[in-house]
């Protein structure tokens, strides 16, 4: 048996949507494919998003040779500002992703000196001692999306990244199927392929269809048009701009992330916007409504996004007007259905006409459906197959496709984050499981899921808090009177006077009894929790967060 071993370790993106990260390890060389974020629900108050747990990479950072990027979506590049200060390794990315990453890293002092190398498809890069890496073009909902081929001593590993097969893409750059077939003819050790829409039969609709629908919507609108989509969906921005130019409208961008993306895409030539079409919001407000198109973020109902604030009538510069048409050019990511529905309802209440995916073809998926996935499997004909990118049911559905095609006969592995697939010369097997939990980003801070801060926030969000104000003489340590109890988010004080009075009596008696100990560090807070916690839980069934002053 050969001493060569290739390990495949997903640290994010398997069994979930987003937070994509895959590790390939051979000998003393580690390469990482993508480093993305995922968005979290209201069960994590104050959290911006989640990134992968990179503790395994930190432990082995002397082996890390590079991070390889497939494309510029946040669920593939968003974690880079948070992990690069710990890993200090070069990044290789397609040119649009390179521009977006460079702009993102410049915003943080700790990542300004990071090395990000632009790549072109078909160019081979020697990374580490025995790994040869090249990219091949695929279609997705952002320009310059790529798959990656990694040559190892045991054979070629293909990672498709996110893809669909679009024969009429907006930018004219089609999926490089010939290269994929060439790899298949030479023999592929392992295929890791996008599974996001593996449950969907048939073929994914071309982006061209969306362009036609956007054209009609903007043509028929009598007032302003607001288009909400992903900040990084550059092809959609181009389609909106093309329609705006055709019907004599000017465009303004609302939302910082989209402003930054449009700026980078223009500079790199991925957006063609005629002079004078893109106007600042202050200027566009002076134009007639039928001459205006606003592009915004917020297609996923994100609480702080431009569209959500507009829908809630909380945006500083934009308010819905009678006659506005709002186009939500996206499909809700699983888990975001409720906030998206609320946003649509709020817009409708204010008199806007709202077009979204259920009633108009204003969005198509950026991921391959079953027939496209089958085509890739047939072209590559891998020895082993690992479905990637998707919830567990998506991975299972993709595995079933390979099974039905009688492909990857040596092994089809439905993995989850943290699983370690070990491939040797004549076999592959799952050998262990590594830490792969979520790390939560709160501004510039990172919190582990076990952090007491997160637990405390959940308690505050569900049970409220109680503050016990203790009047204490700073010199003698004597109580100067009865404590005062203040609550927030716990109970209605006017309906609970007897309970609060009883709590004050119990606490006052206990503190007076232990007056000699009141100056001991932490004693008062501890005693307040001992007295008030059981009382409130018994009388209300809730456990508020208790502090003392």
């Amino acid at each position: 048996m050969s001493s060569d071993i290739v390990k495949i370790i997903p640290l994010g993106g398997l069994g979930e949507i987003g937070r994509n990260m895959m590790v390939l390890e051979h000998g003393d060389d580690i390469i990482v494919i993508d480093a993305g974020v995922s968005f979290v629900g209201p069960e994590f108050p104050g959290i911006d998003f989640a990134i992968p747990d990179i503790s395994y990479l930190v432990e082995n950072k002397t082996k890390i040779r590079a991070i390889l990027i497939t494309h510029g979506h946040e669920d593939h590049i968003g974690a880079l500002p948070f992990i690069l200060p710990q890993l200090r390794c070069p990044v290789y990315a397609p040119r649009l992703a390179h521009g977006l990453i460079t702009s993102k890293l410049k915003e943080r002092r700790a990542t300004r000196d990071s090395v990000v190398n632009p790549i072109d498809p078909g160019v081979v890069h020697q990374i580490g001692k025995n790994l040869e890496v090249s990219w091949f073009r695929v279609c997705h909902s952002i320009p310059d999306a790529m798959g990656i081929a990694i040559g190892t001593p045991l054979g070629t590993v293909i990672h498709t990244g996110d893809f669909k097969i679009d024969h009429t893409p907006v930018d004219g750059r089609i999926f490089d199927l010939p290269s994929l077939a060439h790899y298949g003819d030479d023999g592929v050790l392992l295929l890791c392929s996008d599974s996001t829409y593996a449950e969907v039969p048939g073929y994914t609709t071309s982006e061209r269809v969306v362009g036609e629908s956007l054209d009609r919507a903007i043509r028929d609108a009598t007032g302003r048009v607001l288009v909400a989509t992903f900040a990084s969906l550059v092809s959609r921005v181009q389609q909106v701009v093309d329609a705006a130019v055709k019907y004599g409208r000017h465009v303004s961008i609302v939302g910082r992330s989209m402003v930054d993306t449009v700026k980078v895409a223009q500079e790199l030539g991925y957006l063609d916007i005629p002079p004078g079409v893109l106007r600042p919001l202050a200027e566009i407000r002076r134009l007639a409504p039928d001459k205006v198109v606003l592009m915004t973020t917020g297609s996923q109902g994100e609480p702080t996004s431009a569209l959500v604030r507009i829908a809630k009538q909380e945006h500083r510069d934009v308010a819905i007007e009678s006659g506005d048409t709002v186009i939500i050019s996206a499909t809700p990511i699983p888990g975001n259905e409720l906030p998206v529905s609320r946003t649509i309802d709020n817009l409708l209440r204010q008199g806007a006409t709202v077009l979204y995916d259920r009633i108009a073809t204003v969005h198509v998926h950026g991921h391959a459906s079953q027939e496209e996935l089958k085509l890739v499997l047939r072209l590559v004909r891998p020895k082993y197959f690992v479905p990637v990118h998707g919830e567990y049911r998506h991975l299972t559905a993709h595995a079933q496709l390979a099974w039905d095609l009688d492909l990857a006969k040596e092994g089809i592995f439905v993995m989850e984050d943290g699983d370690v697939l070990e491939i040797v010369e004549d076999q592959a097997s799952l050998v262990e499981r590594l830490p792969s939990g979520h790390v939560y980003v709160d501004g510039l801070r990172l919190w582990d899921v076990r952090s007491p801060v997160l637990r405390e926030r959940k308690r505050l969000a569900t049970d409220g808090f109680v503050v016990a104000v203790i009047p204490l003489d700073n010199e003698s340590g004597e109580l100067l009177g009865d404590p005062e109890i203040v609550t927030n988010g716990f109970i209605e004080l006017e309906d609970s006077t007897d309970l609060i009075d009883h709590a004050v009596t119990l606490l006052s008696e206990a503190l007076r009894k232990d007056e000699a100990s009141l100056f001991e560090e932490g004693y008062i807070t501890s005693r307040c929790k001992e007295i008030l916690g059981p009382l409130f839980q018994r009388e209300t069934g809730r456990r508020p967060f208790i502090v003392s002053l």
Side-chain angles (χ1 to χ4, degrees):
M1 179 182 294
S2 170
S3 60
D4 275 322
I5 298 174
V6 172
K7 292 182 181 180
I8 302 294
I9 311 167
L11 295 180
L14 273 67
E16 62 179 333
I17 299 294
R19 214 171 56 98
N20 296 293
M21 177 179 280
M22 175 76 79
V23 174
L24 185 147
E25 182 173 350
H26 175 267
D28 290 329
D29 295 330
I30 290 177
I31 57 175
V32 181
I33 300 174
D34 290 331
V37 303
S38 62
F39 297 101
V40 299
E43 66 272 19
F44 292 99
I47 295 301
D48 300 320
F49 43 78
I51 64 174
D53 180 344
I54 62 166
S55 55
Y56 178 75
L57 296 177
V58 172
E59 291 171 6
N60 294 275
K61 63 182 178 181
T62 58
K63 295 182 178 181
I64 300 174
R65 305 298 171 231
I67 298 176
L68 315 178
I69 299 299
T70 58
H71 64 280
H73 278 155
E74 283 296 299
D75 59 336
H76 293 258
I77 67 172
L80 287 173
F82 303 96
I83 69 172
L84 282 177
Q86 301 174 71
L87 302 183
R88 295 294 177 186
C89 62
V91 178
Y92 293 78
R95 292 190 176 273
L96 177 56
H98 173 269
L100 296 173
I101 293 167
T102 301
S103 176
K104 185 186 296 287
L105 297 182
K106 285 180 179 178
E107 295 178 357
R108 299 192 67 194
R109 184 177 304 168
T111 55
R112 287 175 188 167
D113 60 349
S114 299
V115 177
V116 186
N117 303 292
I119 63 90
D120 292 305
V123 178
V124 177
H125 299 258
Q126 181 74 38
I127 297 181
K129 184 178 180 181
N130 291 307
L131 301 177
E132 293 184 344
V133 178
S134 62
W135 281 253
F136 57 92
R137 196 172 297 284
V138 302
C139 295
H140 188 39
S141 51
I142 187 173
D144 248 10
M146 305 275 184
I148 301 176
I150 304 163
T152 78
L154 293 181
T156 301
V157 175
I158 300 287
H159 191 298
T160 65
D162 288 351
F163 79 93
K164 66 178 182 179
I165 299 176
D166 191 342
H167 298 291
T168 56
V170 174
D171 63 2
R173 297 174 176 178
I174 62 174
F175 193 123
D176 187 4
L177 293 174
S179 288
L180 210 57
H182 176 71
Y183 289 123
D185 290 341
D186 288 345
V188 170
L189 176 70
L190 170 68
L191 171 65
C192 301
S193 183
D194 178 15
S195 307
T196 311
Y197 281 91
E199 296 175 310
V200 180
Y203 298 87
T204 300
T205 306
S206 171
E207 290 284 333
R208 292 284 180 185
V209 175
V210 177
E212 295 166 2
S213 294
L214 291 171
D215 185 286
R216 287 193 298 272
I218 292 174
R219 178 196 67 193
D220 297 340
T222 58
R224 297 184 308 175
V225 177
L226 288 77
V227 182
T229 191
F230 296 103
S232 56
L233 219 173
V234 175
S235 60
R236 197 62 40 82
V237 176
Q238 186 66 66
Q239 290 171 317
V240 171
V241 167
D242 291 344
V245 170
K246 184 175 180 180
Y247 299 110
R249 291 177 180 256
H250 294 274
V251 179
S252 188
I253 309 297
V254 185
R256 182 188 171 193
S257 58
M258 186 173 285
V259 169
D260 293 343
T261 299
V262 168
K263 180 181 178 182
V264 171
Q266 271 190 288
E267 291 173 351
L268 296 175
Y270 290 96
L271 271 176
D272 180 16
I273 304 179
V277 172
L278 199 61
R279 306 279 288 275
L281 192 57
E283 292 183 16
I284 215 163
R285 282 202 296 261
R286 297 195 289 264
L287 301 177
D290 62 354
K291 299 296 181 184
V292 172
V293 173
L294 301 177
M295 291 210 69
T296 80
T297 55
S299 62
Q300 295 301 308
E302 306 97 312
T304 60
S305 64
L307 183 66
V308 171
R309 286 184 286 129
I310 292 169
K312 289 177 157 182
Q313 299 177 294
E314 296 175 353
H315 198 280
R316 182 178 60 185
D317 300 312
V318 181
I320 293 297
E321 301 171 0
S322 178
D324 283 350
T325 297
V326 180
I327 301 170
I328 300 179
S329 187
T331 299
I333 293 170
N336 289 351
E337 294 88 353
L338 183 58
V340 172
S341 295
R342 286 174 177 162
T343 299
I344 292 171
D345 287 346
N346 287 335
L347 293 167
L348 290 170
R349 287 190 182 99
Q350 296 174 60
T353 298
V354 185
L355 303 178
Y356 51 99
D357 66 313
R358 291 190 179 181
I359 63 173
T361 312
V362 292
H363 180 69
V364 295
H365 307 309
H367 301 271
S369 299
Q370 288 181 354
E371 295 306 314
E372 297 151 88
L373 297 176
K374 290 177 184 177
L375 177 56
V376 168
L377 281 162
R378 287 193 182 103
L379 286 174
V380 176
R381 305 184 301 281
K383 184 175 182 179
Y384 304 111
F385 175 51
V386 173
V388 297
H389 300 176
E391 296 176 352
Y392 198 79
R393 69 179 191 274
H394 305 139
L395 307 179
T396 302
H398 201 175
Q400 186 64 49
L401 291 179
W403 181 268
D404 292 342
L405 293 172
D406 199 26
L407 293 171
K409 297 180 182 180
E410 299 295 324
I412 300 171
F413 298 91
V414 178
M415 300 173 64
E416 291 190 271
D417 296 341
D419 287 342
V420 178
L421 176 65
E422 190 172 276
I423 305 174
V424 294
E425 186 174 11
D426 56 356
Q427 67 177 12
S429 58
L430 297 174
V431 295
E432 61 178 313
R433 188 172 182 84
L434 299 177
S436 61
H438 293 63
V439 173
Y440 296 96
V441 178
D442 176 9
L444 298 178
R445 295 295 303 272
L446 302 179
W447 303 111
D448 184 88
V449 69
R450 297 161 296 183
S451 167
V453 172
L454 295 184
R455 292 198 300 271
E456 289 167 4
R457 285 186 184 178
K458 289 181 181 180
R459 285 185 60 189
L460 287 170
T462 56
D463 291 330
F465 68 88
V466 170
V467 179
V469 182
I470 313 299
L472 193 66
D473 187 298
N474 290 332
E475 293 183 1
S476 66
E478 296 179 354
L479 283 173
L480 300 178
D482 288 336
E484 179 183 356
I485 293 179
V486 180
T487 75
N488 198 312
F490 172 44
I491 51 176
E492 295 284 353
L493 288 180
E494 56 268 27
D495 297 331
S496 307
T497 304
D498 292 344
L499 175 60
I500 297 300
D501 288 346
H502 183 44
V504 168
T505 299
L506 289 179
L507 186 59
S508 181
E509 290 175 354
L511 294 180
R512 291 187 187 281
K513 181 193 264 187
D514 301 333
E515 208 163 34
S517 304
L518 296 185
F519 267 172
E520 294 179 14
E521 184 177 355
Y523 179 82
I524 291 180
T525 296
S526 175
R527 199 75 175 110
C528 288
K529 291 179 180 179
E530 289 175 5
I531 299 298
L532 301 180
L535 171 66
F536 290 143
Q537 185 172 14
R538 183 174 64 251
E539 297 295 329
T540 69
R542 299 172 66 187
R543 299 175 62 249
F545 191 75
I546 299 171
V547 297
S548 64
L549 295 176

